[in-house]
Short mmCIF file of all heavy atoms in Angstrom, two decimals:
data_model
loop_
_atom_site.label_atom_id
_atom_site.label_comp_id
_atom_site.label_asym_id
_atom_site.label_seq_id
_atom_site.Cartn_x
_atom_site.Cartn_y
_atom_site.Cartn_z
N GLU A 1 75.81 -36.18 15.63
CA GLU A 1 75.32 -35.46 16.76
C GLU A 1 73.87 -35.89 17.08
O GLU A 1 73.36 -35.54 18.17
CB GLU A 1 75.39 -33.97 16.64
CG GLU A 1 76.88 -33.51 16.50
CD GLU A 1 77.03 -32.06 16.11
OE1 GLU A 1 76.06 -31.48 15.56
OE2 GLU A 1 78.15 -31.52 16.27
N ILE A 2 73.24 -36.61 16.25
CA ILE A 2 71.87 -37.19 16.45
C ILE A 2 71.92 -38.00 17.76
O ILE A 2 70.96 -38.08 18.45
CB ILE A 2 71.47 -38.04 15.30
CG1 ILE A 2 71.09 -37.20 14.05
CG2 ILE A 2 70.20 -38.91 15.66
CD1 ILE A 2 70.88 -37.98 12.81
N ILE A 3 73.07 -38.65 18.03
CA ILE A 3 73.15 -39.47 19.24
C ILE A 3 72.95 -38.65 20.50
O ILE A 3 72.57 -39.14 21.53
CB ILE A 3 74.51 -40.23 19.24
CG1 ILE A 3 74.70 -41.00 17.90
CG2 ILE A 3 74.58 -41.12 20.46
CD1 ILE A 3 73.63 -42.03 17.67
N GLY A 4 73.25 -37.41 20.46
CA GLY A 4 72.95 -36.58 21.61
C GLY A 4 71.52 -36.47 21.90
O GLY A 4 71.13 -36.35 23.10
N TYR A 5 70.71 -36.59 20.94
CA TYR A 5 69.21 -36.57 21.11
C TYR A 5 68.69 -37.95 21.32
O TYR A 5 67.63 -38.08 22.02
CB TYR A 5 68.55 -35.89 19.88
CG TYR A 5 68.72 -34.43 19.73
CD1 TYR A 5 69.97 -33.84 19.52
CD2 TYR A 5 67.63 -33.56 20.03
CE1 TYR A 5 70.08 -32.43 19.43
CE2 TYR A 5 67.79 -32.21 19.94
CZ TYR A 5 68.96 -31.63 19.63
OH TYR A 5 69.15 -30.29 19.58
N LEU A 6 69.29 -38.95 20.76
CA LEU A 6 68.82 -40.27 20.90
C LEU A 6 70.07 -41.14 21.38
O LEU A 6 70.61 -41.96 20.59
CB LEU A 6 68.32 -40.82 19.55
CG LEU A 6 67.12 -40.09 18.99
CD1 LEU A 6 66.88 -40.39 17.48
CD2 LEU A 6 65.82 -40.55 19.80
N PRO A 7 70.41 -41.04 22.62
CA PRO A 7 71.60 -41.70 23.16
C PRO A 7 71.46 -43.17 23.47
O PRO A 7 71.51 -43.60 24.60
CB PRO A 7 71.90 -40.92 24.44
CG PRO A 7 70.58 -40.52 24.93
CD PRO A 7 69.72 -40.22 23.67
N MET A 8 71.22 -43.96 22.40
CA MET A 8 71.03 -45.38 22.52
C MET A 8 72.35 -46.05 23.03
O MET A 8 73.44 -45.62 22.68
CB MET A 8 70.64 -45.93 21.17
CG MET A 8 70.34 -47.42 21.14
SD MET A 8 69.85 -47.88 19.49
CE MET A 8 69.47 -49.66 19.78
N GLY A 9 72.22 -47.05 23.82
CA GLY A 9 73.35 -47.89 24.19
C GLY A 9 73.59 -48.01 25.68
O GLY A 9 72.84 -47.49 26.50
N GLY A 10 74.67 -48.78 26.01
CA GLY A 10 75.02 -48.96 27.38
C GLY A 10 74.43 -50.20 28.04
O GLY A 10 74.53 -50.36 29.22
N TRP A 11 73.91 -51.12 27.21
CA TRP A 11 73.37 -52.36 27.85
C TRP A 11 73.76 -53.50 26.93
O TRP A 11 73.97 -53.39 25.71
CB TRP A 11 71.82 -52.29 27.98
CG TRP A 11 71.14 -51.71 26.73
CD1 TRP A 11 70.83 -50.36 26.61
CD2 TRP A 11 70.80 -52.34 25.54
NE1 TRP A 11 70.22 -50.13 25.34
CE2 TRP A 11 70.22 -51.31 24.70
CE3 TRP A 11 70.87 -53.62 25.04
CZ2 TRP A 11 69.73 -51.58 23.37
CZ3 TRP A 11 70.39 -53.89 23.80
CH2 TRP A 11 69.85 -52.96 22.96
N ASN A 12 73.90 -54.70 27.53
CA ASN A 12 74.35 -55.92 26.81
C ASN A 12 75.62 -55.56 26.05
O ASN A 12 76.53 -55.01 26.53
CB ASN A 12 73.27 -56.46 25.88
CG ASN A 12 72.06 -57.05 26.70
OD1 ASN A 12 72.14 -57.19 27.92
ND2 ASN A 12 71.00 -57.34 26.05
N GLU A 13 75.62 -55.92 24.70
CA GLU A 13 76.84 -55.64 23.88
C GLU A 13 76.76 -54.29 23.17
O GLU A 13 77.61 -53.95 22.37
CB GLU A 13 76.99 -56.78 22.83
CG GLU A 13 77.19 -58.17 23.42
CD GLU A 13 78.48 -58.37 24.09
OE1 GLU A 13 79.41 -57.50 23.84
OE2 GLU A 13 78.65 -59.26 24.89
N CYS A 14 75.68 -53.53 23.46
CA CYS A 14 75.52 -52.24 22.71
C CYS A 14 76.48 -51.22 23.31
O CYS A 14 76.57 -51.05 24.51
CB CYS A 14 74.09 -51.74 22.91
SG CYS A 14 73.61 -50.41 21.83
N PRO A 15 77.23 -50.49 22.43
CA PRO A 15 78.16 -49.52 22.96
C PRO A 15 77.51 -48.42 23.77
O PRO A 15 76.36 -48.15 23.62
CB PRO A 15 78.73 -48.85 21.63
CG PRO A 15 78.48 -49.88 20.56
CD PRO A 15 77.18 -50.60 20.95
N MET A 16 78.28 -47.83 24.64
CA MET A 16 77.80 -46.67 25.40
C MET A 16 77.47 -45.49 24.48
O MET A 16 78.09 -45.44 23.41
CB MET A 16 78.81 -46.28 26.48
CG MET A 16 79.10 -47.32 27.50
SD MET A 16 77.59 -47.54 28.61
CE MET A 16 77.60 -45.97 29.47
N PRO A 17 76.62 -44.60 24.87
CA PRO A 17 76.33 -43.42 23.96
C PRO A 17 77.60 -42.66 23.59
O PRO A 17 77.73 -42.23 22.46
CB PRO A 17 75.39 -42.59 24.76
CG PRO A 17 74.65 -43.59 25.65
CD PRO A 17 75.69 -44.60 26.01
N GLU A 18 78.53 -42.55 24.56
CA GLU A 18 79.79 -41.82 24.27
C GLU A 18 80.58 -42.53 23.23
O GLU A 18 81.31 -41.92 22.47
CB GLU A 18 80.63 -41.68 25.55
CG GLU A 18 79.96 -40.79 26.61
CD GLU A 18 78.85 -41.52 27.44
OE1 GLU A 18 78.64 -42.74 27.21
OE2 GLU A 18 78.24 -40.83 28.25
N GLU A 19 80.51 -43.81 23.18
CA GLU A 19 81.21 -44.63 22.17
C GLU A 19 80.45 -44.58 20.92
O GLU A 19 80.99 -44.49 19.73
CB GLU A 19 81.34 -46.09 22.60
CG GLU A 19 82.21 -46.28 23.85
CD GLU A 19 82.23 -47.71 24.36
OE1 GLU A 19 81.11 -48.38 24.33
OE2 GLU A 19 83.30 -48.19 24.64
N MET A 20 79.09 -44.70 20.97
CA MET A 20 78.20 -44.65 19.79
C MET A 20 78.39 -43.42 18.94
O MET A 20 78.56 -43.44 17.70
CB MET A 20 76.75 -44.75 20.28
CG MET A 20 75.76 -44.86 19.18
SD MET A 20 75.52 -46.50 18.58
CE MET A 20 74.57 -47.23 19.87
N ILE A 21 78.52 -42.23 19.59
CA ILE A 21 78.62 -40.99 18.86
C ILE A 21 80.00 -40.92 18.15
O ILE A 21 80.07 -40.46 16.98
CB ILE A 21 78.38 -39.76 19.75
CG1 ILE A 21 78.26 -38.47 18.92
CG2 ILE A 21 79.50 -39.60 20.79
CD1 ILE A 21 77.83 -37.30 19.73
N ALA A 22 81.03 -41.44 18.74
CA ALA A 22 82.36 -41.46 18.11
C ALA A 22 82.40 -42.39 16.98
O ALA A 22 82.99 -42.08 15.89
CB ALA A 22 83.44 -41.84 19.19
N VAL A 23 81.77 -43.53 17.05
CA VAL A 23 81.69 -44.45 15.94
C VAL A 23 80.87 -43.87 14.77
O VAL A 23 81.32 -44.00 13.61
CB VAL A 23 81.12 -45.82 16.39
CG1 VAL A 23 80.86 -46.74 15.13
CG2 VAL A 23 82.07 -46.53 17.34
N CYS A 24 79.78 -43.23 15.07
CA CYS A 24 78.96 -42.58 14.06
C CYS A 24 79.77 -41.52 13.28
O CYS A 24 79.63 -41.36 12.08
CB CYS A 24 77.70 -42.00 14.69
SG CYS A 24 76.48 -43.23 15.19
N LYS A 25 80.59 -40.78 14.06
CA LYS A 25 81.42 -39.79 13.41
C LYS A 25 82.40 -40.38 12.48
O LYS A 25 82.64 -39.98 11.32
CB LYS A 25 82.13 -38.93 14.49
CG LYS A 25 83.01 -37.78 13.93
CD LYS A 25 83.59 -36.98 15.09
CE LYS A 25 84.29 -35.71 14.60
NZ LYS A 25 85.43 -36.01 13.81
N TYR A 26 83.07 -41.44 12.91
CA TYR A 26 84.06 -42.20 12.12
C TYR A 26 83.41 -42.75 10.86
O TYR A 26 84.00 -42.64 9.76
CB TYR A 26 84.64 -43.30 13.04
CG TYR A 26 85.47 -44.32 12.29
CD1 TYR A 26 86.59 -43.92 11.57
CD2 TYR A 26 85.14 -45.67 12.30
CE1 TYR A 26 87.38 -44.87 10.89
CE2 TYR A 26 85.89 -46.62 11.65
CZ TYR A 26 87.00 -46.22 10.93
OH TYR A 26 87.76 -47.15 10.26
N TRP A 27 82.25 -43.33 11.01
CA TRP A 27 81.59 -43.95 9.83
C TRP A 27 81.11 -42.89 8.86
O TRP A 27 81.05 -43.14 7.66
CB TRP A 27 80.46 -44.83 10.33
CG TRP A 27 80.98 -46.21 10.68
CD1 TRP A 27 82.25 -46.72 10.50
CD2 TRP A 27 80.22 -47.26 11.31
NE1 TRP A 27 82.31 -48.04 10.98
CE2 TRP A 27 81.06 -48.38 11.50
CE3 TRP A 27 78.90 -47.34 11.82
CZ2 TRP A 27 80.65 -49.55 12.09
CZ3 TRP A 27 78.48 -48.55 12.40
CH2 TRP A 27 79.41 -49.62 12.53
#
């Protein structure tokens, strides 16, 4: 849920924040 505060992503090859938070949960 840290990604909600620091929603990195959405440019170049970086995942979108919505994808980032799901991957962080999985990992």
Side-chain angles (χ1 to χ4, degrees):
E1 294 171 346
I2 289 171
I3 305 302
Y5 285 71
L6 294 164
M8 181 177 183
W11 41 266
N12 293 350
E13 300 291 341
C14 192
M16 295 292 293
E18 294 80 5
E19 298 174 317
M20 184 84 75
I21 191 172
V23 171
C24 289
K25 182 176 189 293
Y26 168 61
W27 278 349

